[in-house]
Amino acid sequence: KIDAFIFDLDGVITDTAEYHYLAWKALAEELDIPFDRAFNEQLKGVSRTDSLELILERGNKQQDYSDVQKEQFASKKNEHYVTLIEQISPQDILPGIKELIDDIKKEGIAIGLASASKNALSVLESLGLRESFDTIVDAGKVAQGKPHPEIFLTAAEQLHVDPAHCIGVEDAASGVTAIKGAGMFAVAVGDGSILSHADYIVHSTDQLDFQTIIRLYKEY
Ligand code: BG6
Ligand code: MG
């Protein structure tokens, strides 16, 4: 029995993971800290402040800045990110996502969002998807970020469903860990070598097929 699908936002519903990457890369380079896509994988799903700490740690510069300076860096990254997402429209919904949401709805299954981003609501609204979600849990509503399961458990609780009857969809290693920690079936989109702890992995969102996911969940 499946009660709910709980989706991550950035990198699953839309390609904002790329914008987070570009904005962090610009800040890191300004601070003379090397930044590449492999390192960026560690930042996916991770909160704004924790991401900044990981970047500074990588450059051995954690002790070089005051809390006030760190807040300024985080704000600068966010201002850049916000300019990058200004133009987002329903055309930016990743391939296959709309179809998947429609199939889930047709079956009367609930849909939740579990996003670590404080910009989640604004992105969903730009995509015209606000109404497709029965509940939205974002960074403001949980104490512990991914990989802690709290955000997925909170979404299940708000939907009044058993986590064991939920399917989580993620593109981040930290997110897959959170889904598994919540006792849910984990579907991952992306690189199998990074997301190998998921129950089912696809390379891109256009491979997310409702019937296939349901079949694998039942066999699980
Ligand atoms: C997650 C992204 O969804 O949100 C991370 O995967 C990002 O890359 C995090 O750092 C926090 O986002 P924001 O918009 O609150 O800075
Ligand atoms: Mg993501």
Side-chain angles (χ1 to χ4, degrees), residues 103-165:
D103 287 344
I104 296 167
K105 287 236 173 285
K106 256 182 249 156
E107 294 297 321
I109 298 168
I111 304 184
L113 190 87
S115 172
S117 172
K118 292 182 176 164
N119 295 293
L121 204 58
S122 114
V123 170
L124 266 195
E125 270 163 7
S126 302
L127 295 171
L129 285 179
R130 174 69 186 83
E131 303 308 319
S132 299
F133 287 82
D134 301 299
T135 197
I136 292 169
V137 185
D138 63 19
K141 298 198 188 96
V142 288
Q144 281 158 299
K146 302 167 189 178
H148 194 282
E150 183 183 1
I151 194 160
F152 284 94
L153 290 173
T154 304
E157 198 177 293
Q158 290 186 4
L159 293 168
H160 308 288
V161 297
D162 181 349
H165 297 163

Side-chain angles (χ1 to χ4, degrees), residues 43-109:
L43 306 184
K44 286 187 179 174
V46 175
S47 76
R48 198 181 304 166
T49 46
D50 289 351
S51 296
L52 177 63
E53 286 300 322
L54 288 171
I55 292 167
L56 293 175
E57 201 179 296
R58 188 170 203 236
N60 266 318
K61 291 182 194 253
Q62 251 174 324
Q63 318 299 332
D64 293 9
Y65 302 105
S66 67
D67 287 350
V68 173
Q69 282 173 305
K70 288 181 186 180
E71 260 171 54
Q72 287 167 349
F73 294 153
S75 301
K76 187 165 189 186
K77 180 269 173 179
N78 190 56
E79 280 158 25
H80 184 184
Y81 177 72
V82 167
T83 64
L84 294 174
I85 61 172
E86 248 163 35
Q87 304 298 323
I88 284 185
S89 77
Q91 291 184 342
D92 295 301
I93 299 171
L94 280 167
I97 293 294
K98 198 94 194 98
E99 293 78 358
L100 179 59
I101 288 175
D102 288 346
D103 287 344
I104 296 167
K105 287 236 173 285
K106 256 182 249 156
E107 294 297 321
I109 298 168

